[in-house]
Amino acid sequence: MKVRSIEILSFFLIGTSVSWKHTDEKEFRRAIGGHNHALVAFIEPSTAASQALEPEWTTAVESEKKSLISVDCSSTKSLCQEFGIISYPALRFFDGHGKMTSYRGPRRASSILSYLKRAVRPSITALTSESKAAKFQSGDDYTVIAQINTQDPHIGTAYEKLASQYKDRLSFGLAETTGASTVSCFNNYDSQQFTISDLTGINVLPKLIESCLEPVIGEFTRVNEMKYLQSGKSLVFYFVTSSQERDSYVSAMRSVAKMYKEYLSFVTVDAGEYGDLAAPLGLIPGAFPALSVQNPMYGQVFPYPRAKEITPEAVGGFLMDIVQGKVQPWDGTFPADAVSGQAHDEL
C-alpha cells in the first residue's frame, strides 16, 4: 500500500510532539472550584476516540492552558463516576457556579477554542452598528444575527430562549430594526446562509438552527448512523485515517456535495474507529483512504475503483455513471488479488 511521504512525516510529527498532561483529583477540584471556568476532557487512554482527540486537545491547550484540563479516568475511576462519565472521551464545561454542561461540538482544536470564547460571554451580543455586525458575522464558524423590531417583544423572548439553548454551538447577535423582524444563521464553515422572516410558525427558530448546523459533509458515527440511513438519501462514504486527511477531502469535495445535497449525503468515516464498516461497503479493510456509495433503500453498494484517484471531478463522474446505470452494484465479493494482497500486507 502506497503512503505519501508527507503523511509519514505528519504521523511521526504528531506521534512525537503531543501527549496528554492530566491533572489529579486535587488539581481538578481546585480548577473547577471558586469562580473558575474550565473545559475538562475525561478520557480513557486505551480508547481509539481518546487517542484521536489527543493531538487536537494538546494543540488547543497550547493556546489556552488555564481553562483546558484533562482527567485520566483509568486512574481516577471514582472521580469520573461521580460526574456521570460513562463513555470516553467526554468533554464537560464547568462554569464556576456549580453548573456542568456537555460539549457537543467538533473535537477539533479550533472548535474547542471557539467554544470557550462563547461559553464565557453573554448569550447574546448587542450589535450597535453595521461594522460591528459584519465583524461579528465572520467571527465564528456559526453565527446567528437577529434583527428584531421593538414591536415584536415575543420574538425577542423566543430568541433569548434559543440563544440560551444553543450558545455552546453558535454565536448569537442582536440588532434593532424599524422594519420586519428577521433571523439569519451563517454557516461560515461551508459558506451558507439561512434566513427566515416568517417567525410565526411552530419551532421555526430551532429548525433554522438545525439546518444551519447541518454540515455539507458530515462525520458518520454510531450516534448519528440511523439519522443518515433513514434520511431517504443515498450516502457517499469516505474513510479517512487522520483529521488532516478529512479536512483536505472536505475542502476539495464541498462543491460536489453541495451540488448533490438534495439527493446524496456526503460523510466521512474515521477508519481507525469504524474500520469495520468498510467491508460491508465493498472496500478492502485497511486500504484507506477509500470511497463507496450506498443506497440504503435498495441495499445497493457501489465501491469507488481502488486504482482511481479520488478527485472532485472523478467522483462527480462516478456518481453520474451510477445514475445512468453504467456502474453495477457490488456483488458481495472481493477480487482475489485484493484479498491476497491484503493478507500479506504487514503494515
Side-chain angles (χ1 to χ4, degrees), residues 304-321:
Y304 188 83
R306 288 188 303 131
K308 196 170 184 179
E309 186 178 3
I310 299 175
T311 66
E313 296 76 18
V315 171
F318 181 66
L319 294 174
M320 287 305 301
D321 287 345

Side-chain angles (χ1 to χ4, degrees), residues 42-54:
F42 294 92
I43 69 105
E44 213 295 339
S46 64
T47 63
S50 292
Q51 293 166 10
L53 173 64
E54 182 177 6

Side-chain angles (χ1 to χ4, degrees), residues 326-342:
K326 297 179 181 179
V327 178
Q328 294 303 307
W330 181 50
D331 62 5
T333 63
F334 292 103
D337 62 327
V339 175
S340 61
Q342 179 66 19

Side-chain angles (χ1 to χ4, degrees), residues 22-23 25 43-45 71-80:
H22 302 300
T23 60
E25 182 171 347
I43 69 105
E44 213 295 339
V71 174
D72 182 353
C73 290
S74 67
S75 59
T76 55
K77 292 182 179 179
S78 61
L79 177 65
C80 296

Side-chain angles (χ1 to χ4, degrees), residues 137-334:
Q137 178 188 319
S138 60
D140 200 351
D141 285 343
Y142 301 93
T143 59
V144 186
I145 295 180
Q147 293 184 314
I148 300 179
N149 192 302
T150 54
Q151 301 300 313
D152 296 326
H154 61 290
I155 296 177
T157 300
Y159 188 64
E160 289 175 3
K161 182 179 178 181
L162 184 79
S164 177
Q165 181 180 355
Y166 289 97
K167 67 168 291 188
D168 64 325
R169 304 171 73 179
L170 308 95
S171 293
F172 288 82
L174 174 63
E176 291 186 357
T177 181
T178 56
S181 296
T182 62
V183 179
S184 297
C185 186
F186 302 87
N187 178 338
N188 294 316
Y189 183 72
D190 287 320
S191 301
Q192 296 188 110
Q193 178 181 341
F194 304 81
T195 301
I196 55 171
S197 54
D198 183 359
L199 301 167
T200 59
I202 299 176
N203 292 327
V204 291
L205 288 177
K207 288 178 181 177
L208 170 73
I209 298 302
E210 293 302 327
S211 296
C212 187
L213 287 173
E214 187 67 31
V216 171
I217 300 179
E219 294 185 57
F220 189 89
T221 66
R222 299 294 187 192
V223 175
N224 61 28
E225 177 179 7
M226 294 312 298
K227 182 192 79 170
Y228 281 115
L229 293 177
Q230 295 176 355
S231 68
K233 299 179 182 181
S234 290
L235 298 166
V236 182
F237 292 90
Y238 183 71
F239 287 77
V240 299
T241 57
S242 68
S243 59
Q244 295 92 337
E245 198 170 70
R246 180 190 186 278
D247 291 343
S248 295
Y249 172 79
V250 171
S251 179
M253 207 64 62
R254 185 177 282 117
S255 59
V256 178
K258 284 182 178 180
M259 187 184 307
Y260 290 99
K261 70 176 183 178
E262 186 176 347
Y263 313 101
L264 300 170
S265 292
F266 281 69
V267 296
T268 60
V269 184
D270 184 338
E273 192 169 356
Y274 302 106
D276 59 308
L277 298 178
L281 293 170
L283 302 175
I284 306 300
F288 305 122
L291 184 145
S292 184
V293 180
Q294 180 191 39
N295 184 327
M297 184 177 295
Y298 296 105
Q300 295 176 325
V301 171
F302 303 87
Y304 188 83
R306 288 188 303 131
K308 196 170 184 179
E309 186 178 3
I310 299 175
T311 66
E313 296 76 18
V315 171
F318 181 66
L319 294 174
M320 287 305 301
D321 287 345
I322 293 175
V323 172
Q324 295 171 3
K326 297 179 181 179
V327 178
Q328 294 303 307
W330 181 50
D331 62 5
T333 63
F334 292 103

Side-chain angles (χ1 to χ4, degrees), residues 27-37 94 96-97:
E27 293 171 333
F28 165 75
R29 294 191 185 281
R30 186 188 305 118
I32 67 170
H35 296 292
N36 302 318
H37 66 269
F94 295 82
H97 302 285

